[in-house]
Each structure stands twice: as structure tokens, then as C-alpha cells.
Amino acid sequence: MTSLPDEKAARTRELYDRISLGIVRSLEKRTGVTDVKLLDRKPADPSRIVDWEQEHSCFLPYDFKNFYITTDGLLLCWSVKFNGSVTPLGRMEVNPIANLKRITIPQCSKHGATQSVSVEDTQSDDEDSRYDRLLQHREGV
């Protein structure tokens, strides 16, 4: 029979595995991957989520709120063992609600409608070219 702390740890581990889309188990099965660490965070206070929404004039999606009510962010790190040495390789993080930032997209004055953003729109080293691409996307260029 497992003790209560062991059962809770197993349930927590299963929950984190589902939240991380099975990546923890997948990493642990990989040859050479070592030191897989998933930080156990306490749930966010629901009033803090409401405060964030009010402060940023933005409603978070229902699933995202549920995520924060379950755990205040996520931090997963792993290393690889290669040629006898261990090297940190990966880090996957969802900020705690206190560090969550709202991303805003400038409105297009010509059409006045908010457009969706593609991955390409967010992957540029040059801020000006990213802004130009967003405007072109909105204007249908």
C-alpha cells in the first residue's frame, strides 16, 4: 500500500505529465537525456488571475486560467550526457502569473480590424521588419 504523500506525488506527477503533453516521460526515455527536472509550483491564487486580467484589460482563455489554478507556471529543464560530460540542453517555461506579459499588436488604421499573428510574424531579430510584416499582413499586401 502506498502512503498518502506517495499517492499525492504520483497524482501530481501524472498531472504535470499531462500538462507538459507527455514531454517529461518522453525525455526520460531518451538515450543520453539526463537530469530531467520539473519544478513543482503551487497553484496561483484565483484572485491574482482576476487582478492580472483587470490590470491588463484582457481576459485569459478558460484553459489558461485552469492551468494557473493548477500550477502557477511551469519550468522543465533537462541535460544530455555526451562524451562523459553532462551539458544543460533544454528549458521549457510558462511564466508564473506575476511574470505574465500581455502581447499587443498595433491596430491597422486602414481596416481597423485585429488580425491573427503567424509564427513567422514573431520570429525576427529585426523589430522594424517584424512590424512591417505585420502591417503588410493586415493590409493584404
Side-chain angles (χ1 to χ4, degrees), residues 50 76 113 136:
V50 171
L76 172 64
Q136 288 173 355

Side-chain angles (χ1 to χ4, degrees), residues 8 16 40-45 68-73:
K8 183 179 179 191
Y16 280 134
D40 184 16
R41 292 188 172 157
K42 302 276 187 221
D45 184 331
Y68 277 117
I69 290 170
T70 303
T71 178
D72 192 8

Side-chain angles (χ1 to χ4, degrees), residues 1-8 10:
M1 182 174 168
T2 37
S3 68
L4 189 57
D6 289 342
E7 289 176 17
K8 183 179 179 191

Side-chain angles (χ1 to χ4, degrees), residues 7-123:
E7 289 176 17
K8 183 179 179 191
R11 282 196 315 267
T12 301
R13 172 77 176 184
E14 182 182 332
L15 174 65
Y16 280 134
D17 195 46
R18 283 187 285 151
I19 288 173
S20 69
L21 303 174
I23 221 164
V24 173
R25 285 197 179 138
S26 176
L27 285 168
E28 291 173 337
K29 291 178 185 178
R30 304 277 179 208
T31 304
V33 174
T34 185
D35 298 333
V36 178
K37 296 176 185 164
L38 183 61
L39 182 64
D40 184 16
R41 292 188 172 157
K42 302 276 187 221
D45 184 331
S47 66
R48 182 61 191 113
I49 297 168
V50 171
D51 291 345
W52 188 95
E53 289 178 322
Q54 290 175 349
E55 180 182 332
H56 294 89
S57 301
C58 174
F59 291 107
L60 294 172
Y62 180 74
D63 289 346
F64 206 44
K65 290 181 195 182
N66 281 339
F67 169 80
Y68 277 117
I69 290 170
T70 303
T71 178
D72 192 8
L74 178 101
L75 178 59
L76 172 64
C77 300
W78 63 95
S79 300
V80 292
K81 192 172 190 175
F82 185 72
N83 288 339
S85 65
V86 175
T87 305
L89 178 68
R91 179 183 176 102
M92 182 173 81
E93 184 170 14
V94 176
N95 285 338
I97 192 79
N99 298 341
L100 186 63
K101 305 289 182 211
R102 180 177 181 191
I103 298 173
T104 57
I105 302 168
Q107 291 286 331
C108 177
S109 59
K110 183 176 179 182
H111 300 290
T114 301
Q115 299 288 324
S116 62
V117 178
S118 71
V119 173
E120 180 184 308
D121 295 329
T122 63
Q123 294 180 336

